[in-house]
Amino acid sequence: MSSIEERVKKIVAEQLGVKEEDVKPEASFVEDLGADSLDTVELVMALEEEFETEIPDEEAEKITTVQLAIDYIKENLG
Amino acid sequence: MTITTSLNDKVALVTGASRGIGAAIADTLGSLGAIVIGTATSEAGAEKISARLAEKGVKGAGRVLDVTSADSLAALLASVKEEFGAPTILVNNAGITKDNLLMRMKDEEWASVIDTNLSAVYRVTKACLRDMTKARWGRIINISSVVGSMGNAGQSNYAATKAGVAGFGRSLAAEVGSRGITVNTVAPGFIDTDMTRVLPEEQREALMGKIPLGRLGQPEEIASVVAFLASDAGGYVTGETIHVNGGMYMA
């Protein structure tokens, strides 16, 4: 079983079409990884599916970096 | 060149498919190889669609859907996905009229037409969009009306919804184009269906005089435009409203 970090990074890489090694914790989806607004919506949907959860819109808006995504999943599924 | 209109095994959802334009669209998409889910508001209507599709050798089924109910929609999509896969072709065709002069229009007549003709387009499209973005391919075709562009006395509610879906379509086309999804509006003119058969003879005569082609359109003539937009042949058309009205209104 991969760690939450690994699973999040893999999804980010797949969704945004970037290399996994570029998916650093501090990386911002929009500024560093080239995501547009639709990409970020799709990314949250992919995270919801992977971790079988629902992320409310007001929380989803705050998830702007890889680390914030990892934190959110850990806090809410930990 | 060859024109590719095959829809091999793509799953198409057509709302309001028990009769009229919707029935013709369901049949035509099916004839091009799509798996067609046609919806009706009643069990009897759904069975009629199933029987018609089976008779024509089309894969798919008729199903019950109340487009104004989120629960009905969720149930339908869950069962369709399980049995056939997620729809990547969506034809929002279901619609109603409740004509009245505005000064006499009841709130209920306004609200129900807005809900069925416009809010339902939002509801059904949103529910199907996630799977289309995943597939990186989708076709959304909304059936509007010439009345949405030219106006018609007694149809302010209906016209508002039909102009509304065209604007909805342009905005959504801009949002999801990058995902290989096209969104278009087809605006029929005066088509020979139950909806127009109820018009008084006088009004039919008067309308006919304004149609350069001199006849009503047939449902199949709307369906063929929808089929074009759904196929690869129409792949570069998006955000557009295509008028199909025999020249009655030239936009």
Side-chain angles (χ1 to χ4, degrees), chain B residues 43-224:
Chain B
E43 205 54 73
E47 280 165 23
K48 209 173 93 184
I49 296 169
S50 289
R52 208 186 60 238
L53 293 176
E55 188 193 326
K56 291 174 186 282
V58 171
K59 278 179 276 182
R63 289 289 166 83
V64 173
L65 173 66
D66 171 2
V67 292
T68 67
S69 157
D71 290 343
S72 170
L73 176 62
L76 169 81
L77 284 175
S79 80
V80 166
K81 278 191 213 177
E82 184 166 321
E83 195 172 342
F84 302 100
T88 53
I89 299 170
L90 168 63
V91 184
N92 284 307
N93 167 75
I96 57 169
T97 55
K98 291 202 174 174
D99 299 354
N100 214 336
L101 296 173
L102 189 65
M103 282 196 283
R104 291 197 174 159
M105 190 171 287
K106 313 276 185 298
D107 288 355
E108 186 278 327
E109 290 169 337
W110 174 264
S112 67
V113 171
I114 299 285
D115 197 22
T116 304
N117 295 10
L118 182 58
S119 301
V121 171
Y122 150 80
R123 208 173 280 126
V124 180
T125 304
K126 188 176 169 187
C128 292
L129 203 52
R130 188 170 179 163
D131 287 300
M132 292 187 198
T133 62
K134 271 196 203 163
R136 292 290 188 266
W137 193 93
R139 295 282 195 264
I140 298 163
I141 299 149
N142 299 318
I143 306 304
S144 174
S145 165
V146 66
V147 169
S149 296
M150 68 182 278
N152 193 22
Q155 292 201 303
S156 57
N157 50 359
Y158 183 75
T161 65
K162 295 305 183 180
V165 299
F168 169 86
R170 287 189 286 270
S171 293
L172 185 60
E175 270 183 42
V176 297
S178 65
R179 300 304 188 266
I181 301 167
T182 66
V183 189
N184 289 291
T185 305
V186 174
F190 200 27
I191 308 300
D192 189 18
T193 66
D194 292 347
M195 198 187 262
T196 53
R197 265 173 227 134
V198 298
L199 294 173
E201 193 53 39
E202 266 173 46
Q203 206 180 335
R204 285 171 72 97
E205 291 292 323
L207 272 164
M208 206 82 93
K210 291 179 186 156
I211 303 172
L213 289 183
R215 62 176 178 85
L216 300 188
Q218 292 303 310
E220 292 72 24
E221 292 173 305
I222 303 302
S224 59

Side-chain angles (χ1 to χ4, degrees), chain A residues 17-43:
Chain A
V18 294
K19 290 184 197 135
E20 267 189 64
E21 58 259 37
D22 293 335
V23 185
K24 305 218 160 51
E26 67 279 10
S28 151
F29 302 130
V30 174
E31 278 148 38
D32 301 315
L33 301 175
D36 65 16
S37 57
L38 188 54
D39 288 322
T40 58
V41 171
E42 284 187 307
L43 178 58

Side-chain angles (χ1 to χ4, degrees), chain B residues 15-40:
Chain B
T15 66
S18 64
R19 57 204 170 114
I21 292 172
I25 292 170
D27 295 352
T28 303
L29 296 182
S31 74
L32 294 171
I35 298 167
V36 178
I37 313 304
T39 76

